[in-house]
Amino acid sequence: MDQLNRQFMKQAIALAQENVRSGKGGPFGAIIVKEGKIIAQGQNQVTSTNDPTAHAEVVAIRKACQILETFQLQGCELYTSCEPCPMCLGAIYWARLDKVYYANTKMDAAKIGFDDQFIYDELELPLAQRHLPMIQLMQQEAWNAFQEWVEKTDKVEY
């Protein structure tokens, strides 16, 4: 790994450490880089904002999209202090980042109380067997919005 990658990862790790010391959230930090320059950074803000989606990666993605005025981050790379959880991984794929560099693993996170294995396990189960009840309701009525989307001529595809 080249020196620049190591430098960016050091910054993501420093954000994680700073976040622990500040008491604003968990030990996670992330930065988004485009063309060798930091575009945005994020720290875990779950407890300080009462937002369970405010993981470092999601915070960084939101900031980068605002700064770049786009909802897709092709041409960008993410450096994160820990292997992304299932939610963050989904956000990373939706944002279409080119590459992810991570430091700690999901097993490392589990050792300190951040265990996402139950989510991975739940995703493998049929809906009827999951711990969280998933109940379909009013599909025909909801289909109308889908049909309008299909027929819309000026939509922005994503």
Side-chain angles (χ1 to χ4, degrees):
M1 184 177 295
D2 72 15
Q3 191 58 32
L4 193 56
N5 288 340
R6 294 180 61 80
Q7 180 184 350
F8 290 140
M9 184 57 76
K10 282 181 183 180
Q11 289 181 264
I13 293 167
L15 287 170
Q17 290 174 311
E18 176 186 300
N19 212 45
V20 171
R21 294 173 189 139
S22 74
K24 293 181 181 175
F28 305 100
I31 61 169
I32 294 179
V33 174
K34 183 172 186 173
E35 297 172 357
K37 295 181 182 159
I38 295 174
I39 301 300
Q41 64 183 35
Q43 293 168 293
N44 180 285
Q45 300 174 359
V46 170
T47 58
S48 61
T49 63
N50 294 318
D51 180 353
T53 68
H55 290 199
E57 297 91 337
V58 172
V59 171
I61 287 169
R62 289 173 181 164
K63 288 180 181 178
C65 287
Q66 288 176 347
I67 290 166
L68 296 174
E69 298 181 339
T70 183
F71 54 85
Q72 295 183 343
L73 297 174
Q74 288 114 334
C76 296
E77 298 175 338
L78 174 75
Y79 292 79
T80 180
S81 62
C82 187
E83 183 178 357
C85 75
M87 177 187 68
C88 292
L89 190 57
I92 290 163
Y93 275 104
W94 280 117
R96 293 175 172 71
L97 287 148
D98 288 0
K99 194 178 289 186
V100 175
Y101 296 92
Y102 66 94
N104 290 318
T105 67
K106 63 183 178 182
M107 286 80 68
D108 295 330
K111 289 176 189 174
I112 64 161
F114 294 94
D115 190 355
D116 300 322
Q117 189 58 47
F118 76 97
I119 298 173
Y120 291 107
D121 294 343
E122 284 282 298
L123 291 173
E124 296 295 320
L125 296 174
L127 292 178
Q129 293 178 18
R130 293 183 184 171
H131 288 88
L132 179 65
M134 301 285 290
I135 303 157
Q136 187 174 21
L137 186 64
M138 298 181 66
Q139 179 191 15
Q140 288 300 320
E141 291 84 349
W143 184 256
N144 293 334
F146 279 15
Q147 189 60 43
E148 285 184 40
W149 175 257
V150 168
E151 295 169 3
K152 186 173 176 64
T153 58
D154 62 343
K155 62 187 168 217
V156 177
E157 300 273 355
Y158 62 96

